[in-house]
Amino acid sequence: YISFNSVRDLESMTNHPTIEVIDLEANELESFETIYSLSSCPRLYTLNLTMNPVEERKRYRKQVLQHIPQLEYLDDLGRDEKSTREIEEEEDEEV
């Protein structure tokens, strides 16, 4: 758990074959590219990025799940579950 630590970079976490769960809640992660680097952790199945600036980006959840396909859980939701924000974005697109 690395929550609430002002983390901005994930370089030290990449390419670790045994990492399965990373909780990065309430840090300073802003870019998708930084998050995508975690795709190099083949056993990573749970990632929590709530309360990070990147979470406010459009289609955030869809983008992260697409680029880190091994994830089963993102922000405490299963891969097939939708966040309230995703539902609102889909409704906006339908209008």
Side-chain angles (χ1 to χ4, degrees), residues 33-45:
E33 290 73 26
T34 300
I35 307 305
Y36 298 163
S37 67
L38 295 175
S39 66
S40 66
C41 301
R43 296 183 66 184
L44 179 64
Y45 72 92

Side-chain angles (χ1 to χ4, degrees), residues 10-75:
L10 301 176
E11 188 175 331
S12 63
M13 291 184 203
T14 60
N15 296 312
H16 285 277
T18 58
I19 290 178
E20 295 182 353
V21 176
I22 301 176
D23 186 342
L24 289 159
E25 180 181 357
N27 279 287
E28 297 177 12
L29 297 166
E30 295 184 23
S31 77
F32 281 128
E33 290 73 26
T34 300
I35 307 305
Y36 298 163
S37 67
L38 295 175
S39 66
S40 66
C41 301
R43 296 183 66 184
L44 179 64
Y45 72 92
T46 298
L47 178 62
N48 184 359
L49 297 169
T50 56
M51 297 174 55
N52 276 278
V54 71
E55 185 185 27
E56 299 302 315
R57 307 264 314 260
K58 189 168 183 162
R59 296 189 179 153
Y60 149 79
R61 187 171 165 77
K62 183 177 181 178
Q63 293 289 331
V64 173
L65 290 171
Q66 182 178 352
H67 284 85
I68 309 176
Q70 69 271 30
L71 285 180
E72 295 176 26
Y73 297 93
L74 175 60
D75 302 337

Side-chain angles (χ1 to χ4, degrees), residues 61 72-79 81-84 86:
R61 187 171 165 77
E72 295 176 26
Y73 297 93
L74 175 60
D75 302 337
D76 299 321
L77 291 176
R79 183 173 197 80
E81 295 178 74
K82 291 187 179 182
S83 68
T84 303
E86 279 181 295

